[in-house]
Amino acid sequence: MSVIPKVFTEEDRETWRAILHAQKQTRDQQVCDLFLEGVEILGLREDHFPVLEETNQILRRLTNFEGVLVEGLEEGAQFYNLLKHRQFPVGNFIRNRQDLSYTPAPDIVHDLYGHLPFFTDKTYADFCQEFGAIAMSFADRPELLNQFERFFWFTIEFGLIQTPQGRRIFGAGIASSIGECQFALSDQVEVVPFSVAAVCDQDFRIDQIQKKLFCLTSPQQLYDSLDELRRRVQNL
Ligand SMILES: [Fe+2]
């Protein structure tokens, strides 16, 4: 059943403006080019409150991905099934103006600003679809789904990446939060090289700031890791 788009208030629009304004000051030095280019392509700006359908028209043309409005949190098989069908859930609300760096659930800032820019890239989009398809092939083994949760969490949500300009943020969960951006690149974080085994063995709490993060050498390193992930889960 499709979700009716929320009618956003002037206060909601001010929240968007404030967050995008703050992000713009620092993101070029913090976040990877894949994200920055996607933000440009999608035309995400502080002076224009985003309209999902406008964003989707660009995404569909480029990579045949689209955002779909959801109420609440999409988890587990429901979430992987969306990815398998080249869809990404977008929260139908924006966080409270009182605390710009906190959201109780994924909102339009986290999902549309944080995640959707990455889906302008065909290889990234194809990777996410294949990841969703592999996870869905284990949907009848719910005890194994935590492997996919951890993999997704420490890469697509909270990954770091080494670039010629230095270490940058690769994860949308970090990229969409001013506080997480600062913290993730600070010396308070333990940074470990990415490997399938390392991320799948690492438990996490969604309600705490991430003190241990995994760093990719390139996006391709991540894209090339799906066979290993599938084999690992098959053998559990
Ligand atoms: Fe997310």
Side-chain angles (χ1 to χ4, degrees), residues 61-85:
R61 182 166 48 77
L62 290 174
T63 64
N64 203 28
F65 238 90
E66 63 178 357
V68 288
L69 285 179
V70 295
E71 302 286 4
L73 185 64
E74 293 290 311
E75 289 182 292
Q78 253 179 323
F79 175 68
Y80 301 131
N81 198 38
L82 289 177
L83 290 181
K84 182 183 171 181
H85 292 95

Side-chain angles (χ1 to χ4, degrees), residues 18-20 22-24 26-27 30-31 95 99-103 109-110 113 157-158 160 169 171-189 208-211 213:
I19 291 173
L20 270 278
Q23 293 277 8
K24 198 164 180 253
T26 50
R27 69 182 174 213
Q30 293 177 327
V31 192
R95 65 197 62 189
D99 189 355
L100 295 181
S101 62
Y102 171 77
T103 182
V109 174
H110 175 92
Y113 171 76
E157 293 287 2
F158 282 91
L160 298 174
I169 289 154
I174 309 177
S176 57
S177 161
I178 305 157
E180 293 270 8
C181 279
Q182 264 183 359
F183 187 79
L185 295 175
S186 77
D187 56 11
Q188 295 179 71
V189 172
Q208 289 178 359
I209 201 151
Q210 304 306 312
K211 294 197 170 134
L213 296 174

Side-chain angles (χ1 to χ4, degrees), residues 88 110-111 115 157:
F88 197 89
H110 175 92
D111 290 327
H115 281 285
E157 293 287 2

Side-chain angles (χ1 to χ4, degrees), residues 1-8 49-53 56 60 66-74 82 87-94 106-108 111-112 116:
M1 201 173 72
S2 64
V3 173
I4 299 164
K6 179 180 186 315
V7 177
F8 288 98
F49 195 85
V51 177
L52 181 59
E53 188 46 36
N56 278 343
R60 288 187 199 114
E66 63 178 357
V68 288
L69 285 179
V70 295
E71 302 286 4
L73 185 64
E74 293 290 311
L82 289 177
Q87 293 184 318
F88 197 89
V90 175
N92 192 22
F93 76 104
I94 193 163
D107 66 344
I108 196 166
D111 290 327
L112 194 150
L116 293 191

